[in-house]
Amino acid sequence: MSDLTAGLNPAQKKAVLKTEGPVLILAGAGSGKTTVLTHRIAYIIEQGVKPYNIMAITFTNKAAREMKERVERITPFGKDVWVSTFHSSCVRILRRDIERLGYTSQFTIYDSDDSERLIKDILKEFNISDKDFSPKMVMGKISGQKNELISAKAFAETAGEDFWLKTIGRVYTEYQKRLKQNNALDFDDLIFKTVQLFAQNPDILDKYREKFLYIMIDEYQDTNSCQYNLIRQLSSKYRNLCAVGDDDQSIYGWRGANIRNILDFEKDFKNAEVIKLEQNYRSTKVILDAANTVIKNNISRKSKELWTENEAGGLIKAIELESDFDEAAFIAAEIEKGVKNGGEYKDFAILYRNNAMSRVIEDRFVRSSIPYRLLGGVPFYGRKEIKDVMCYLKVLYNPSDDIALKRIINVPKRGIGTATIEKVSLFAEDSGMSFFEALLNAEDIPEIKSRGKKLTDFAGVISNFREASEELKISELLEKIISETGYRDELESENTAEALNRIENINELISKAVEFENTAERADLSAFLEEVALVADNDFTQFEGT
């Protein structure tokens, strides 16, 4: 038996050593699933399998990095294992073969904000009230269809005479048309289009089936129908699929997760072996007893009972209060009591369900002179100045990206108004050209002759930056953009604390680019845009106001 199983409990050892055929590892909270996954990868390599024939999928970039690092610590061949998120994996596949679907490999990735802006444009052009059809609602409906592998055409065909569904269908159809015109994919498309690519091109699918002989999927309970289909496509030939998850921890049904994927695993993958990791290394006996009692009330679940050799631990306290104000007062009093007894303010943390709940607690802390730090808010890549500068990079990489172009055409201010932009858009549509091509020919547009030079000048600036992007490092290109466009000058002229903070954020972005240049295997503009897009949408919540 390999030393890789030393120190593992019997169930963990079984999960590491069972490498052939479909395996479902039901891993309860704190049961050491990451240890099992990383040791399993190392064990498969030890059996003579090439590391590049192993694929491990996680749900966040952070989890992927941590798994990769742990595998590399166990085996010197770990760096060659394909460890990434679903979205990152699909981007890598699409960059190589998306031409088969009519896109170019220089597609850009739209985050939630980009998608919402595009939907707003479509609603406006269709004269659809955004009060009756809010962009976020429409975006959520489209996302739900993609998660179920329902195309715009299929959705429109099933809408029938229902006014609401027909309207969504019209917007969905136009939305996909515009994405393709812009050579762009939204986040749902990354997986949807990969499934489509494989379905329409058996030769490409077979290439990846031969590449990924062993596939491991973490957090399997959170997979949606589209991700499930991708997994089935890739694993159907050799069937060496290891799904790790816990149906009791499935909380993402609202964003498309399909709990049936894990509950029906044995039906979907014949002769699958189920291994339960039930020993918990993290919690006390009291915590586990309470959790097991609550979880047993779930109607649809696979039976398991977490247990631990840890101490019993203190009792759980449940306190019921009459209002949110009473709750805030109680929390403040408990913190003050703890500090008086020798604790420090930094020893306390407060978790709440949504951002709105923090207001009453913050008000109480201010009145009680309790210092605090609020975590969250607008994420770094969601801040206005960062999105502005990143849109310049997007346009340099993909001039067909109309959403990015329209965002920066008057940033910093160039005297180019909304009416002018709309006229250019109409000209581009009537002439069968991209928005950028229309800008290059703006002086030929009769309705805006007097302002045409401003538009051609802007297009010239973009063209010059594009030429420079072939020679400069990303950090140097960023510096050139914010200097030569006057973006930094405009912020400095404001001379406000907010403007200075925005300059600091831009400088931090440049530092991020330098770090990327020094550490990335492929430090080109495409890879940088890819990393930022995947981090921004995978690991953060998108906020309004950008």
Side-chain angles (χ1 to χ4, degrees):
M1 183 178 293
S2 170
D3 290 337
L4 289 168
T5 61
L8 302 183
N9 66 43
Q12 290 174 328
K13 288 180 183 178
K14 186 176 181 181
V16 168
L17 298 176
K18 173 61 180 174
T19 60
E20 305 304 305
V23 180
L24 174 63
I25 300 175
L26 290 175
S31 61
K33 67 167 184 176
T34 305
T35 296
V36 167
L37 273 174
T38 52
H39 284 242
R40 192 175 192 274
I41 291 170
Y43 178 75
I44 292 172
I45 294 172
E46 196 177 74
Q47 303 313 298
V49 176
K50 303 297 183 186
Y52 49 76
N53 289 139
I54 302 171
M55 170 189 248
I57 298 293
T58 67
F59 267 77
T60 67
N61 295 293
K62 180 182 178 184
R65 283 194 301 271
E66 289 177 353
M67 183 178 290
K68 185 89 169 173
E69 290 168 359
R70 289 179 67 168
V71 170
E72 288 179 13
R73 285 200 294 269
I74 299 172
T75 170
F77 308 106
K79 67 181 187 307
D80 295 322
V81 177
W82 184 302
V83 182
S84 69
T85 64
F86 272 106
H87 293 100
S88 295
S89 293
C90 289
V91 169
R92 290 171 70 177
I93 292 168
L94 291 172
R95 287 284 181 215
R96 294 166 186 167
D97 294 298
I98 198 170
E99 286 88 353
R100 299 275 191 103
L101 298 179
Y103 296 76
T104 79
S105 61
Q106 289 184 296
F107 64 84
T108 47
I109 303 168
Y110 278 10
D111 63 17
S112 303
D113 183 59
D114 297 325
S115 295
E116 188 176 347
R117 287 171 188 267
L118 180 53
I119 288 172
K120 282 180 180 177
D121 288 347
I122 294 169
L123 292 173
K124 185 177 180 181
E125 290 172 25
F126 283 2
N127 292 316
I128 298 172
S129 169
D130 59 8
K131 292 181 180 178
D132 297 327
F133 292 85
S134 77
K136 283 188 182 297
M137 179 275 290
V138 174
M139 192 166 67
K141 185 65 175 178
I142 292 173
S143 176
Q145 300 310 300
K146 291 184 180 181
N147 287 337
E148 293 299 320
L149 274 180
I150 300 172
S151 68
K153 181 181 179 182
F155 181 79
E157 288 175 349
T158 58
E161 295 305 312
D162 185 293
F163 172 76
W164 190 83
L165 292 177
K166 281 177 68 177
T167 304
I168 296 290
R170 282 180 65 210
V171 176
Y172 185 7
T173 300
E174 185 65 19
Y175 174 70
Q176 289 306 118
K177 176 185 171 184
R178 297 285 185 86
L179 283 174
K180 194 164 187 178
Q181 287 176 349
N182 295 354
N183 196 35
L185 303 179
D186 65 19
F187 256 70
D188 297 312
D189 277 332
L190 294 177
I191 303 174
F192 187 105
K193 293 296 181 184
T194 305
V195 173
Q196 189 180 62
L197 176 71
F198 287 160
Q200 295 178 9
N201 300 275
D203 59 320
I204 296 176
L205 174 57
D206 194 58
K207 177 177 70 175
Y208 284 100
R209 282 174 174 166
E210 292 299 328
K211 176 176 176 58
F212 301 127
L213 304 180
Y214 293 83
I215 300 172
M216 279 159 271
I217 311 294
D218 194 12
E219 304 293 358
Y220 191 71
Q221 77 279 356
D222 290 332
T223 54
N224 59 37
S225 297
C226 196
Q227 292 161 336
Y228 166 81
N229 274 274
L230 178 68
I231 295 164
R232 291 217 66 164
Q233 286 176 320
L234 289 171
S235 64
S236 61
K237 186 171 185 178
Y238 292 102
R239 302 183 72 249
N240 295 323
L241 171 67
C242 174
V244 182
D246 181 6
D247 51 318
D248 293 328
Q249 295 185 64
S250 179
I251 60 173
Y252 291 113
W254 57 273
R255 71 177 188 192
N258 187 349
I259 188 63
R260 300 310 315 177
N261 291 348
I262 192 168
L263 295 178
D264 295 340
F265 188 86
E266 298 101 306
K267 294 178 185 176
D268 297 334
F269 300 94
K270 301 301 181 185
N271 302 315
E273 180 158 355
V274 179
I275 301 170
K276 299 178 182 180
L277 303 184
E278 298 174 294
Q279 183 174 357
N280 176 286
Y281 294 91
R282 183 189 302 159
S283 306
T284 63
K285 287 185 173 68
V286 168
I287 293 292
L288 287 185
D289 288 344
N292 285 328
T293 302
V294 171
I295 290 169
K296 282 178 181 176
N297 292 297
N298 290 347
I299 298 172
S300 298
R301 68 182 295 262
K302 291 179 176 291
S303 65
K304 65 178 179 301
E305 183 100 4
L306 293 179
W307 61 276
T308 185
E309 293 179 347
N310 294 340
E311 61 184 17
L315 296 177
I316 298 170
K317 294 181 181 178
I319 302 189
E320 187 175 349
L321 299 159
E322 291 187 2
S323 70
D324 51 353
F325 296 101
D326 293 330
E327 184 178 64
F330 173 80
I331 291 170
E334 287 295 299
I335 292 173
E336 288 175 329
K337 186 192 303 180
V339 171
K340 284 179 182 177
N341 291 333
E344 297 183 52
Y345 288 114
K346 67 179 182 180
D347 297 333
F348 298 88
I350 301 167
L351 307 179
Y352 44 87
R353 290 192 311 277
N354 60 60
N355 289 331
M357 295 181 69
S358 74
R359 184 186 61 80
V360 175
I361 297 172
E362 288 186 77
D363 288 347
R364 184 70 194 197
F365 282 0
V366 170
R367 289 201 300 273
S368 302
S369 298
I370 295 176
Y372 69 92
R373 182 161 60 97
L374 187 68
L375 301 180
V378 179
F380 181 76
Y381 292 112
R383 293 168 185 168
K384 179 185 183 303
E385 61 278 9
I386 301 303
K387 289 188 72 68
D388 287 345
V389 176
M390 289 303 301
C391 277
Y392 271 97
L393 293 184
K394 285 183 179 182
V395 169
L396 303 189
Y397 181 68
N398 174 22
S400 298
D401 189 344
D402 290 1
I403 293 296
L405 254 176
K406 289 176 182 178
R407 180 177 180 118
I408 62 173
I409 194 169
N410 200 40
V411 177
K413 293 181 176 62
R414 299 183 175 91
I416 301 172
T418 304
T420 300
I421 294 171
E422 288 177 355
K423 288 172 182 174
V424 176
S425 294
L426 285 172
F427 176 80
E429 189 173 340
D430 292 341
S431 305
M433 59 178 65
S434 71
F435 187 79
F436 183 68
E437 289 170 331
L439 291 178
L440 291 170
N441 296 278
E443 294 186 60
D444 296 331
I445 304 175
E447 297 87 349
I448 57 170
K449 267 192 175 293
S450 61
R451 285 149 292 173
K453 190 172 186 309
K454 290 180 180 178
L455 298 171
T456 54
D457 285 348
F458 170 70
V461 167
I462 295 299
S463 296
N464 290 336
F465 285 154
R466 289 197 76 201
E467 290 180 14
S469 68
E470 297 177 5
E471 303 293 335
L472 298 178
K473 293 181 179 178
I474 300 164
S475 57
E476 295 169 341
L477 185 59
L478 284 168
E479 186 61 54
K480 185 179 180 68
I481 289 169
I482 63 175
S483 297
E484 294 186 12
T485 60
Y487 198 102
R488 179 185 276 126
D489 292 341
E490 186 175 82
L491 288 174
E492 288 177 345
S493 67
E494 289 181 24
N495 197 29
T496 62
E498 182 182 357
L500 293 175
N501 186 55
R502 289 186 167 184
I503 292 172
E504 289 179 6
N505 289 336
I506 292 172
N507 290 337
E508 179 61 29
L509 178 63
I510 295 173
S511 296
K512 158 68 180 174
V514 171
E515 178 188 344
F516 178 80
E517 290 160 0
N518 292 333
T519 59
E521 293 180 14
R522 183 169 57 91
D524 57 19
L525 181 56
S526 170
F528 183 69
L529 288 172
E530 208 170 279
E531 173 163 306
V532 170
L534 294 172
V535 168
D537 216 271
N538 237 7
D539 291 343
F540 294 109
T541 300
Q542 295 297 321
F543 289 80
E544 297 182 21
T546 57

